[in-house]
Amino acid sequence: MKKAVCTIAGSDCSGGAGIQADLKAMSANGVFGMSVITSITAQNTRGVSAVFHLPISIITAQLEALFSDIPVTVIKTGMLATSDIITTVSRHLAKQPLEHLVVDPVMVAKGGYPLLEQEAMATLKTELLPQASLLTPNIAEAEMLSGLSITTLAHAREAAKVIHQFGCQHVLIKGGHLLEQPGTDLLYDGRFFRMFKGEFFQTNTTHGTGCTLASAIAANLAKGKPIADAIEAAKHYTTEAIRHGLPLGQGNGPTDHFYFLQA
């Protein structure tokens, strides 16, 4: 029987990121994806133009509807834009018998539009991160969380140590924007570091790669893989999705989540 995995995140009407990318990545990695929508964004490959945060009552109703009916032990979170949303999600997750919580700390859209309110950063650190099995910040997000500048792997190691102190079990700093060895991700478990080297593409079809990677990791965790193996499998999948990226729109096009279905 397929495992069920839930994503709690924002919606991207262009389909490249957010809930839409999460569900595609989960399906492509062999699990049944479910969703709780926190915010609705108007966006395309050129950027975000408007955002509407759903009422807390609707977010709560979605969470209660799922958790009261379908057993789910692996959750992935994405865009949780406000302190109230983070608190609501955190309190509901604390009541669940979760095996894994993968937190993608979505802060800024690729075009620069803020997706996390400034005052919500403290709530993220104190309420959600201590529940996380894995936190998956990109370089910019890791800099904001740690307060450190990151250009080298040595910098990434120091930032990972700072971020780990917020209570998450593992920190995976993604190296897509790393100046030294771009494409190399760094995992820290509080004691040891592990590098995941990968190809780096000069391409503009990278919309939603963070959502895609985190969702693929969650899917592989749900299938029983250890953290490192789940990351390895998800990184390979995401790399191929980028390699087969779709040149849609006039900006950053999406990856191809189902590249393996090509005729």
Side-chain angles (χ1 to χ4, degrees):
M1 182 176 177
K2 277 191 176 183
K3 295 287 187 177
V5 179
C6 180
T7 169
I8 306 173
S11 168
D12 169 13
C13 59
S14 71
I19 288 285
Q20 289 82 350
D22 293 346
L23 293 176
K24 292 173 189 176
M26 289 175 182
S27 294
N29 281 271
V31 298
F32 180 76
M34 304 182 297
S35 65
V36 170
I37 298 176
T38 58
S39 302
I40 297 173
T41 70
Q43 66 174 292
N44 54 30
T45 63
R46 292 176 294 180
V48 176
S49 56
V51 173
F52 173 73
H53 304 313
L54 269 65
I56 295 299
S57 60
I58 297 298
I59 296 172
T60 297
Q62 293 178 81
L63 290 165
E64 291 178 348
L66 285 183
F67 295 154
S68 66
D69 181 45
I70 303 172
V72 55
T73 58
V74 178
I75 301 282
K76 178 262 178 186
T77 64
M79 180 183 176
L80 307 176
T82 71
S83 288
D84 284 346
I85 292 175
I86 294 170
T87 296
T88 298
V89 170
S90 298
R91 288 178 179 174
H92 277 81
L93 296 185
K95 302 174 187 176
Q96 302 304 313
L98 296 183
E99 295 177 2
H100 293 287
L101 171 62
V102 178
V103 174
D104 182 18
V106 176
M107 298 179 185
V108 180
K110 200 172 290 292
Y113 195 105
L115 300 178
L116 178 71
E117 294 182 355
Q118 188 172 1
E119 59 271 22
M121 178 71 79
T123 311
L124 177 73
K125 291 178 179 179
T126 59
E127 296 191 23
L128 189 64
L129 297 194
Q131 299 184 56
S133 304
L134 177 66
L135 179 70
T136 63
N138 59 27
I139 294 298
E141 292 160 348
E143 288 180 331
M144 286 186 273
L145 285 166
S146 67
L148 302 175
S149 176
I150 303 172
T151 58
T152 67
L153 284 171
H155 294 159
R157 290 188 184 95
E158 291 307 309
K161 291 178 181 178
V162 172
I163 295 168
H164 189 268
Q165 293 175 359
F166 298 131
C168 47
Q169 294 177 30
H170 300 80
V171 180
L172 180 71
I173 296 182
K174 298 173 294 189
H177 300 284
L178 192 66
L179 296 181
E180 178 188 72
Q181 298 187 42
T184 297
D185 302 337
L186 183 70
L187 178 67
Y188 181 59
D189 65 0
R191 295 180 62 196
F192 303 108
F193 291 98
R194 175 168 174 171
M195 290 194 301
F196 296 85
K197 295 184 178 181
E199 297 180 69
F200 179 76
F201 302 105
Q202 290 291 350
T203 177
N204 65 348
T205 54
T206 57
H207 183 51
T209 50
C211 307
T212 298
L213 178 67
S215 296
I217 292 172
N220 281 282
L221 288 172
K223 293 193 294 184
K225 291 185 178 180
I227 286 276
D229 292 347
I231 293 171
E232 194 78 63
K235 186 171 178 65
H236 173 76
Y237 163 76
T238 304
T239 298
E240 292 305 309
I242 296 172
R243 190 194 309 278
H244 295 85
L246 303 170
L248 300 175
Q250 303 171 48
N252 290 297
T255 67
D256 187 352
H257 294 89
F258 297 103
Y259 62 86
F260 48 85
L261 295 180
Q262 298 296 326

